[in-house]
Amino acid sequence: GNDSAARGNTSKRVVQSIETEIGGITQAASSFTTDCPFFRVYMTPSYVNSKYMPLPITFYKEHLQGLRGITLQVSNSKKKWPVNLNPYDTSVRMTGVSKFLSESSIKIGDICFFELINKKNYVLKVTITSEE
């Protein structure tokens, strides 16, 4: 039989997987729950080495529209780091994060959860989970 038409029907699934690509989901990561809006970032070598982190454009449009900066705070610390937001058409980059990355000991393979805990001062609480 001619089943090539059926095989060409994978494009829908591809689109769905792009959303989850941002955070290589593991068991530890999928058990994270919060009432605040949040997104997750799987720390790849390019983020750690290039000193930037992605922020989903959907999250930006919904919660941070128009902002050019935000504050990061690690969940178990009082320390805060100001970072820049650089919005593009389809993505947003958090830049100026090198101090945050080194001082919070983030490594390649870590998964960072960013929760919007303070909508007035725009503070994102960061929870870092390691693969191990």
Side-chain angles (χ1 to χ4, degrees):
N2 182 4
D3 62 354
S4 61
R7 222 179 279 127
N9 198 13
T10 52
S11 58
K12 272 199 200 74
R13 239 170 299 146
V14 173
V15 174
Q16 284 168 343
S17 67
I18 289 169
E19 272 303 295
T20 54
E21 252 332 281
I22 290 179
I25 301 167
T26 61
Q27 270 318 107
S30 56
S31 62
F32 180 88
T33 56
T34 173
D35 293 333
C36 302
F38 81 97
F39 61 95
R40 71 164 77 76
V41 176
Y42 181 81
M43 297 307 294
T44 66
S46 60
Y47 303 153
V48 176
N49 299 332
S50 312
K51 311 286 194 241
Y52 80 90
M53 288 183 291
L55 188 151
I57 190 81
T58 48
F59 188 93
Y60 181 79
K61 285 185 167 154
E62 212 167 305
H63 305 289
L64 309 170
Q65 185 70 53
L67 284 183
R68 288 294 181 270
I70 199 159
T71 302
L72 300 181
Q73 178 179 2
V74 175
S75 54
N76 51 10
S77 156
K78 291 275 167 280
K79 199 161 165 41
K80 293 186 167 83
W81 294 268
V83 299
N84 305 315
L85 296 178
N86 299 24
Y88 301 95
D89 287 343
T90 56
S91 64
V92 180
R93 278 186 176 193
M94 289 185 277
T95 58
V97 297
S98 54
K99 221 179 160 138
F100 163 73
L101 287 171
S102 60
E103 291 179 12
S104 52
S105 313
I106 289 174
K107 302 180 301 301
I108 293 163
D110 285 349
I111 297 168
C112 297
F113 294 88
F114 295 84
E115 285 173 82
L116 184 58
I117 55 167
N118 185 328
K119 287 186 176 156
K120 200 173 66 196
N121 302 321
Y122 294 104
V123 175
L124 286 176
K125 187 174 95 170
V126 188
T127 304
I128 303 157
T129 61
S130 297
E131 290 277 282
E132 294 88 67

